[in-house]
Amino acid sequence: MTNQVRVRYAPSPTGHLHIGNARTALFNYLYGKHFDGKFIIRIEDTDDKRNVEGGEESQLEFLKWLGIEWDEGADIGGNYGPYRQTERLDLYNKYVKELLEKDLAYKCYMTEDELEAEREEQRANGQVPKYAGKHSNLTPEQIEQFEKEGRKPSIRMRVPAGKTYTFKDLVRDNITFESEDFGDWVIVKKNGIPTYNFAVAIDDHLMEISHVLRGEEHISNTPKQMMVYDAFGWEPPTFGHMTLILNEERKKLSKRDEHILQFIEQYRNLGYLPEALFNFITLLGWSPVGEEEIFDKQTLIEIFDPERLSTSAAIFDRHKLKWMNNEYIKAMDLDKVIDLAMPQLIKAGKLPEDMDQQKREWAEAVISLYREQLRFGAEIVELTELFFNDSLNYDEGAMDVLQEEQVPEVLQVFADKLIHLDSFNKDDIKAQIKATQKETGHRGKKLFMPIRVATTGQTHGPELPMAIELLGKEVILQRLDKVLKQLGA
């Protein structure tokens, strides 16, 4: 075993990159880079019934999008390949043969119906179901008979009796299991494909993986993997099991949870920034020293301390993610903000794909109004609604503003002043708001709120003179006229 830190992320190509899997990859990446080690991608693709077309490519695409790079993998090679399990079957068979020869494993010919009947009987007796070892010592004659019947055997590991398995977890300190808790478990299925716990132990040893960081749902897998290490006299890696990710209702994050988007692809499509998502996910189960929460990737690599992995569940706070993404957007160059938001307006049908220069400049100016408040790219569609709707819908707060007694006077004077404007830009508009103030004597909210509500339909929003300029003189005068008629002015 090398002294170099070697960590891995080993996805199955069964779907797109999920938040929980992304965190596993990210923590391994940060751990490896912090200790000047290697980060490896291994594809666990032996469950062909669950594999989906394009699953591997999708996983790798969104890892790269997040900013995670790897040193070895199926796509770039390395000295410890192959990096897909389906290309390693000959390796597994070699070790299966060795276990059978040492009588540390054996062939089991029980059918699924027989196994289920055994489990049912155990449940009826108040026992925890586990394989009872009925085929653990078959005679050559019994094996021959089963073979004649056409039965296909699985291969089971002999679980040692009376053995205690203890490992020091990076997150939870010492964890102990007793061998009596396990029946002899399958290491090779009837179709000849190795099971997860067997293949992963072989792979981690041969790839010289030094540390395995993964979700706490894998804790119960660890003793089985330790059995494999023991059987071959190998040293196991150091394990660290990260706590669950919970939603805001303190329930386990589930792919069926409709309140929280589950896949990295969804966040990209909505216009979240990879840097923000990288930062946010890092804080799901790990905390830095101090109160600061915004970090770039290189800083996170430098400060990542496994001692600060949390022992309590992480809460996925949607509002915090939006806040964090907004912080990154505010720090971006305006051109990049426009590149983030413009496709969302086109996708929503608010803008044509082929715009002339004048229309594009107008759209860019509209987007720039919302740079400070934009939390993710797709939010621009809702924020800019007032620029694309022919008619305005006034909510209760807006109607309350329009009912104030000074409103007809303010709006009539303002409209009269706009009509005579030769140029319609924000500076001239701002001057006419001041002129309206001087003529009517109304100032502050009594002045600005009626103008904002009548022209934009909102009680708060972007810089008012610029918004009025971008809406255009004709639209503004139509909206003012409509409100004045509704007020009977």
Side-chain angles (χ1 to χ4, degrees), residues 8-9 29 45 65 122 284 350 354 377 388 416 477 486:
R8 49 76 170 175
Y9 169 59
Y29 171 78
D45 59 347
W65 180 79
Q122 290 170 334
L284 292 175
K350 303 297 184 182
D354 297 321
F388 300 98
D416 290 344
L477 290 175
Q486 289 175 345

Side-chain angles (χ1 to χ4, degrees), residues 106 108 114 145 214 234 251 280 312 332 378 390 400 402 439 450:
Y106 60 90
C108 171
E114 290 170 340
Q145 180 58 39
R214 56 192 182 187
W234 298 337
K251 295 179 181 177
F280 176 78
S312 56
M332 287 171 65
D390 293 332
D400 288 343
L402 295 179
E439 183 171 330

Side-chain angles (χ1 to χ4, degrees), residues 323-340:
W323 164 80
M324 186 173 285
N325 204 63
N326 173 248
E327 291 295 308
Y328 277 85
I329 288 175
K330 288 189 292 187
M332 287 171 65
D333 292 338
L334 179 58
D335 288 346
K336 292 183 178 179
V337 178
I338 290 169
D339 290 342
L340 183 73

Side-chain angles (χ1 to χ4, degrees), residues 216-405:
E216 68 174 29
E217 66 273 14
H218 285 285
I219 290 177
S220 61
N221 289 326
T222 308
K224 290 183 177 180
Q225 292 164 24
M226 292 177 74
M227 291 176 199
V228 178
Y229 277 86
D230 281 358
F232 294 110
W234 298 337
E235 180 185 348
T238 298
F239 295 99
H241 291 90
M242 300 168 287
T243 57
L244 293 173
I245 302 175
L246 306 180
N247 63 21
E248 289 149 343
E249 288 74 43
R250 301 298 193 272
K251 295 179 181 177
K252 182 180 177 182
L253 200 61
S254 162
K255 293 178 183 179
R256 293 179 294 277
D257 189 337
E258 297 179 357
H259 299 291
I260 293 176
L261 298 175
Q262 298 293 312
F263 299 100
I264 301 302
E265 181 177 8
Q266 293 172 299
Y267 289 97
R268 185 193 68 175
N269 292 345
L270 284 171
Y272 281 83
L273 300 173
E275 302 91 340
L277 213 54
F278 188 106
N279 190 161
F280 176 78
I281 294 173
T282 301
L283 301 181
L284 292 175
W286 177 84
S287 61
V289 176
E291 300 299 319
E292 180 62 47
E293 293 187 294
I294 305 292
F295 302 98
D296 61 33
K297 181 171 74 172
Q298 188 55 43
T299 301
L300 285 169
I301 289 171
E302 291 169 4
I303 68 175
F304 188 79
D305 180 0
E307 295 290 326
R308 298 191 64 81
L309 287 167
S310 177
T311 57
S312 56
I315 306 299
F316 192 103
D317 185 338
R318 294 170 294 165
H319 304 292
K320 181 176 179 179
L321 173 56
K322 290 176 182 177
W323 164 80
M324 186 173 285
N325 204 63
N326 173 248
E327 291 295 308
Y328 277 85
I329 288 175
K330 288 189 292 187
M332 287 171 65
D333 292 338
L334 179 58
D335 288 346
K336 292 183 178 179
V337 178
I338 290 169
D339 290 342
L340 183 73
M342 189 79 78
Q344 300 290 345
L345 290 169
I346 294 171
K347 180 181 176 181
K350 303 297 184 182
L351 293 170
E353 286 194 37
D354 297 321
M355 285 177 273
D356 59 29
Q357 187 64 25
Q358 184 178 1
K359 184 72 170 180
R360 179 168 291 277
E361 289 176 359
W362 176 85
E364 290 176 353
V366 169
I367 292 169
S368 69
L369 284 177
Y370 296 94
R371 177 184 185 178
E372 290 297 308
Q373 66 191 98
L374 187 66
R375 298 177 298 176
F376 56 96
E379 193 176 38
I380 197 68
V381 177
E382 179 183 348
L383 290 173
T384 60
E385 189 175 3
L386 69 97
F387 291 96
F388 300 98
N389 285 353
D390 293 332
S391 59
L392 300 179
N393 295 315
Y394 301 105
D395 62 18
E396 186 177 345
M399 289 304 299
D400 288 343
V401 170
L402 295 179
Q403 297 304 315
E404 295 176 6
E405 61 179 352

Side-chain angles (χ1 to χ4, degrees), residues 131-143:
Y131 179 67
K134 288 185 178 178
H135 285 196
S136 60
N137 293 290
L138 294 175
T139 65
E141 291 76 18
Q142 288 173 313
I143 292 174

Side-chain angles (χ1 to χ4, degrees), residues 85 91-97 99 105 155 157 185-188 193-204 221 224-225 228-229 231-232 234:
Q85 285 189 333
L91 285 170
Y92 307 135
N93 289 336
K94 168 189 168 185
Y95 290 102
V96 170
K97 183 178 179 182
L99 291 179
I155 298 175
M157 171 75 75
W185 53 280
V186 175
I187 61 173
V188 180
I193 300 297
T195 58
Y196 167 78
N197 282 309
F198 182 70
V200 76
I202 301 294
D203 290 341
D204 284 345
N221 289 326
K224 290 183 177 180
Q225 292 164 24
V228 178
Y229 277 86
F232 294 110
W234 298 337

Side-chain angles (χ1 to χ4, degrees), residues 70-189:
W70 45 97
D71 302 291
E72 302 168 29
D75 58 331
I76 60 175
N79 295 329
Y80 295 80
Y83 293 92
R84 293 187 188 93
Q85 285 189 333
T86 51
E87 298 171 3
R88 299 174 62 83
L89 297 181
D90 289 343
L91 285 170
Y92 307 135
N93 289 336
K94 168 189 168 185
Y95 290 102
V96 170
K97 183 178 179 182
E98 183 177 335
L99 291 179
L100 288 171
E101 289 172 350
K102 292 180 178 179
D103 198 31
L104 297 175
Y106 60 90
K107 294 181 179 180
C108 171
Y109 291 85
M110 289 184 71
T111 65
E112 188 52 48
D113 287 342
E114 290 170 340
L115 290 167
E116 181 56 34
E118 180 180 80
R119 290 191 287 266
E120 285 296 328
E121 182 180 349
Q122 290 170 334
R123 291 189 192 100
N125 293 330
Q127 299 171 314
V128 176
K130 65 179 182 180
Y131 179 67
K134 288 185 178 178
H135 285 196
S136 60
N137 293 290
L138 294 175
T139 65
E141 291 76 18
Q142 288 173 313
I143 292 174
E144 183 181 1
Q145 180 58 39
F146 287 137
E147 296 280 354
K148 284 182 179 178
E149 293 173 11
R151 293 197 187 198
K152 296 287 186 183
S154 60
I155 298 175
R156 292 182 180 270
M157 171 75 75
R158 290 193 190 276
V159 175
K163 179 150 186 174
T164 299
Y165 292 94
T166 299
F167 63 95
K168 187 175 179 63
D169 192 278
L170 283 171
V171 180
R172 302 159 189 277
D173 204 23
N174 289 330
I175 298 178
T176 297
F177 290 88
E178 301 297 333
S179 62
E180 278 68 24
D181 297 334
F182 300 87
D184 293 346
W185 53 280
V186 175
I187 61 173
V188 180
K189 293 176 282 189

